[in-house]
Amino acid sequence: MIRAVMVINTQGKHRLAKFYDFQPVEKQQELIRSIYGVLCSRAENVSNFIEADSIFGPDTRLVYKHFATLYFVFVFDSCENELAMLDLIQVFVETLDRCFKNVCELDIVFNFNKMHTILDEIVVGGQVMETSSEEVMKAVDEITKLEKSSNAISIVPKSISGRQGR
Amino acid sequence: MFEKDVLQLIRGLRAHKGQEREFIQSALRECRKEIKSQDMDLKAIALLKLVYLEMFGHDMSWASFNVLEVMSSQKFVQKRVGYLAAVQSFRPDTEVLMLAENLLKKDLGNTDKNTISLALSTLPHLINTSMANSLLTDLLPRLSHSNPTIRKKTIVTLYRLALVYPEVLRPSWPKIKERLLDENEDPSVTAAIVNVVCELGWRRPHDFLPMAPRFFDLLTEGQNNWMSIKIIKLFSVLTPLEPRLVKKLLPLTQLIKTTPAMSLLYECINGIIQGGIMEAAAGTTEGDEVARLCISKLRGMLVVQNDPNLRYVALLAFAKITTSHASLVTEHQDVILECVDDLDISIRTRALDLAIGMINENNLQIVVDRLLRQLRTSGTVSAVDDPDNDRSAHDGVVPIAEDDEEDAQASIRRTNQSKDQTPPLPDHYRALVIERIVEMCSEDMYARLVDFEWYIDVLVNLIKQCPAEPSNTGVSISERVGAELLNVAVRVKAIRPEAAAAAQSLLFLEDKDSYTGSDRSSGALTAISFIAGEFASLLPDPEAVLTSLLHPNNSHLASKILASYAQAVPKVFVALTSQERISWTTGRRSQVTLLIARIVHWLEPLTLHPSLQVQERAVEFLELFRLADEACKGHETVEDSSPFMEPPLLLTQAIPALFSSMELNPIAPSAIHQARPAAELLESHTQQSYQSSSLSDKVDVEARQRKRAERRERNKDDPYYIDPDGRSGTSTPMGNALHSAVGDEELNVDDIPVMELKLDNGHAVSKPAKQAAAPKKPKRHFEIAGDETLSTRDASSTSLPSLVPSRQNQAKKGLMGIDSSGLSALSLESGGNRTTLDIEARAREEEEMARAIREVERLRLAMQRRTEEVQDTGEGESIVVKRKKKKVRSALLEDNTEAGGNVDNGDVVEKKKKKKKKKPEGEATAVAQTNEAEQAEQPKAKKKEKASDCFR
């Protein structure tokens, strides 16, 4: 099962943290910090796996992928296939890319809410639910539509047009 | 006041560079205000902001009731925010969960599929036992929902429910099975079921054996690699239970040969290894073929494709094969050992683990030298050194304003330029490498080690390369290497001069380091100084060593090290001054008294050391040296040219006798248990039991005294035996030595009785190193002394003291593991396979349950009657009473229908007790009730109290 999904930027700032077993807030922070400590010391052309036993205890694996300014991190146990998890990160990122049209870190910062929606379609309760980014997009679009129809107020606009104007 | 929405919060954060903390505090204050407003929109926005801030470590558990409010909103957009907040901030013991239950029930029954799926994906994050119990009835119908998404999410949610409340499986497994067997089911739902079954599989494999044919079909259809992977994982736990499956699974080889997906290929190999298919089919041509195929594929992953990820997983798989097919793996040691030098630390670690099994006399030095080079050449940049990281370490809870606008706008799909560099080694990896080197060399009593001089050199290097002391408790790595150095010095007699020289060089090195403030290898100092002291006669330059030991800066060292120093100082002193043959000239006297003065000067402050051990040793030796000083000054001297004059006996005989009367030999850890006096001492103490009666005591006293007398007789010559009457001590070495110092002619060191240890090394259990195996280098022959023990037949006696704790010991409970022990205790096969005894027991339980229901009903009626009476006095309260009562009843009934009295026996007893307390009438019968009933009972008891209050 997948234990946790995290997105951290290269400066160590948190962009998403979802733990599928409950962890207190302080513990979460500590875990992410130690993961980041390991991540930032790794060279570019090495494998995507990290021995996470010292951080998460035995029988846990950690796989990450580095895209521009972001690290996508999945923590999982022996019930998941290592290479498949790597593919799952790809699915996640691809979906984000579809959703935001050439996604960048700022999209994720301002739409963290939506990122949660996407992740909830891919992983539920630590189990992989959907591996096709097309299907995920369909579901996410539907939810967005429903949100819009349910109320005119939009808490977070879909795209952040005013970004450059700041 | 300007109303900020989430966007503005984020922007504001980005704009307030340097004052994030204040900004966040004001934002939090605002949220607290907004969240209390009546306007749902405002509430939802405030909540979303809190969720954002929670990501940076700002606790939002205080808002749990507000989360609930937003969750219950009619508008989907708000509801979603509420649910998101619940996922992020609720925990299974959050108090408001009791109130959330109804809402969840309602949402699960909603007609809109998005609302249902919202509730479904939130449940795994906050489920607890009582909720699982009550929500089960709402979840089960969702298994046959028309929408496949709902169906698969329900399946996963049910699985998470089962983890906290195993009873869930009983009603839901038949339905899930039905879905699984349905050929027309949506493939994604089938995949979800397979996922869940795979998770349950390793916990209770027996239950899923009957389903094997269906899984096999799914595997051969092979539409979905994700699902195939899970099925193979499941089979790897099933095959050990059902050997016949092995034959069926041989077609996996076909999959290995043809599949283009590396993940599936890897999983197939993994499944074959873990399922024991290799072992089961070993010997047959097919089995050999499978093994060869797997290994050649793995080798391919290691070399042909230059992909570090494949290298990593291939090494993982190799590690699993080594347990059964070590020889096959060793064939590929060339590529595996290559990985020890990989750029990637993860790969190195894996390769290192594998390498241990492949080391032999011939490649040991090559591999160790390679690892040493790694340690020497790469810098030690620990994570903390990184300035970026530092910032997040100190105020990581604050989202810091952006200073990377440009970067953040770059598409994350941009390809990365790769930079080539030697990675800096993190400390834990350093420690691991050092540990492994020691492990490799010392395994099997140094069986693979040919050249001990080289090994001493390696150890010295390792001590220099040790990472800074880890903050956690336990033995530090430098301490372990130091212990290993000591171990070699003690066991291998021939290497002692080199070991002593190494200790000397390390002490000098440590001197320099202590001035600069680095304490990397200080853990090893205890052992080093011990070696220097114990083998002081072999030191190349004992005087310099003494100077180094007496350095004033040493007083800052840890007390453990200081104690060892205090012990080493007199030993080195002995080596310097105890020559009998040299005449006692004026020159020699002044030299010795100077040395003594220096030592006394060093020891004096230590007598006030906070550590008792240091203090004690300092006091003792200080007295001894003062004595020696007097002896020197009082002893008559002669001029250089004069005839031979004997030096003081205290210097040449008494003090050396303190340290050299016994030679150091390794003793097996088990030897202590066989030591006679220790065992009997223990016995005499344990006899004084608090429970034994005074009568039997009287009888015992005599026997005990007789025993004690016998023991005293037996041990009277044993210097280490502490006589309870305080009459021991007449024959200690110290006593003898002091005797001799005042001129007693009868000194005979050999008289000093010791435990029956063979002092002569020739008698020691020794095991010659396998020298013959390395003909290339004609080397010195090293004898390795085995452990001594009192009984030579003890099998464990020759084992080395484990320097590296076994990996089982290290395995602690995973941080993120969910306790699912209850799950394995549950039986899914209700009814069908039960024995008659089981059925009887069940019938009995049911009967008891029925009785309990009747009892509760009776009580309820009694209470109702009473509350009706109360109604006359206080009306408001009685309404509450009535409502609660109803709840009690419904909860009980529900409970009875669902959990068929499957509560632990212990539980029943406990509950019974509790019940008795609450109901003084004492009509409690053996009732099997679950938590719910228990909870329901409480209000009742309270009501009763209240009712009686009213009567007063």
Side-chain angles (χ1 to χ4, degrees), chain A residues 1 20-21 29 42 47-49 51 56 58 67 79-82 102-103 110 113 117 125 130 147, chain B residues 7 48 55 57 80 113 152 156 160 199 230 266-267 309 312 344 346 350 411-412 812 815-816:
Chain A
M1 122 177 205
Y20 291 97
D21 309 324
Q29 300 291 318
R42 285 176 70 86
S47 77
N48 296 94
F49 298 99
E51 304 284 314
F56 290 100
F67 292 97
C79 277
E80 303 292 336
N81 179 296
E82 289 84 355
N102 203 8
V103 64
F110 285 108
N113 189 7
T117 314
E130 188 54 71
E147 276 183 351
Chain B
L7 264 181
L48 195 58
M55 184 161 67
R80 230 181 56 76
K113 74 180 174 73
K152 63 187 183 188
V156 170
R160 291 299 296 254
E199 290 279 344
K230 290 282 179 175
Y266 168 64
E267 197 54 59
N309 290 327
Y312 177 79
D344 185 358
S346 306
R350 289 282 137 236
S411 157
I412 64 168
K812 48 190 178 193
L815 166 71
M816 311 193 99

Side-chain angles (χ1 to χ4, degrees), chain B residues 184-236:
Chain B
N184 301 320
E185 180 55 280
D186 189 276
S188 71
V189 179
T190 315
I193 298 173
V194 171
N195 267 357
V196 166
V197 171
C198 174
E199 290 279 344
L200 290 169
W202 62 264
R203 293 181 172 100
R204 33 187 313 109
H206 283 282
D207 288 319
F208 303 105
L209 262 183
M211 306 300 292
R214 171 65 179 153
F215 290 126
F216 193 76
D217 289 346
L218 286 171
L219 182 63
T220 41
E221 279 169 32
Q223 308 149 330
N224 182 346
N225 281 348
W226 290 85
M227 192 166 75
S228 303
I229 286 172
K230 290 282 179 175
I231 296 176
I232 294 168
K233 272 207 190 291
L234 178 65
F235 274 130
S236 74

Side-chain angles (χ1 to χ4, degrees), chain B residues 124-289:
Chain B
H125 293 267
L126 36 86
I127 195 71
N128 60 31
T129 318
S130 69
M131 261 177 94
N133 189 14
S134 78
L135 286 176
L136 184 61
T137 43
D138 303 277
L139 273 172
L140 282 177
R142 298 281 86 82
L143 271 179
S144 40
H145 195 270
S146 59
N147 189 308
T149 318
I150 301 296
R151 290 204 294 274
K152 63 187 183 188
K153 285 188 178 171
T154 309
I155 286 160
V156 170
T157 307
L158 278 172
Y159 158 69
R160 291 299 296 254
L161 250 64
L163 284 184
V164 295
Y165 184 60
E167 281 298 321
V168 164
L169 280 183
R170 218 184 284 282
S172 56
W173 173 240
K175 296 197 176 192
I176 296 177
K177 199 155 90 180
E178 199 180 299
R179 296 269 131 228
L180 177 65
L181 294 174
D182 186 354
E183 306 258 347
N184 301 320
E185 180 55 280
D186 189 276
S188 71
V189 179
T190 315
I193 298 173
V194 171
N195 267 357
V196 166
V197 171
C198 174
E199 290 279 344
L200 290 169
W202 62 264
R203 293 181 172 100
R204 33 187 313 109
H206 283 282
D207 288 319
F208 303 105
L209 262 183
M211 306 300 292
R214 171 65 179 153
F215 290 126
F216 193 76
D217 289 346
L218 286 171
L219 182 63
T220 41
E221 279 169 32
Q223 308 149 330
N224 182 346
N225 281 348
W226 290 85
M227 192 166 75
S228 303
I229 286 172
K230 290 282 179 175
I231 296 176
I232 294 168
K233 272 207 190 291
L234 178 65
F235 274 130
S236 74
V237 282
L238 293 186
T239 40
L241 300 174
E242 178 53 271
R244 279 175 299 173
L245 271 177
V246 172
K247 263 217 131 38
K248 282 217 110 185
L249 281 178
L250 282 177
L252 274 184
T253 51
Q254 205 52 42
L255 211 53
I256 292 180
K257 282 178 193 155
T258 53
T259 182
M262 285 318 275
S263 53
L264 187 56
L265 168 67
Y266 168 64
E267 197 54 59
C268 285
I269 297 175
N270 218 356
I272 286 179
I273 299 165
Q274 284 200 310
I277 295 177
M278 270 187 172
E279 282 107 322
T284 62
T285 44
E286 284 159 315
D288 282 352
E289 196 198 329

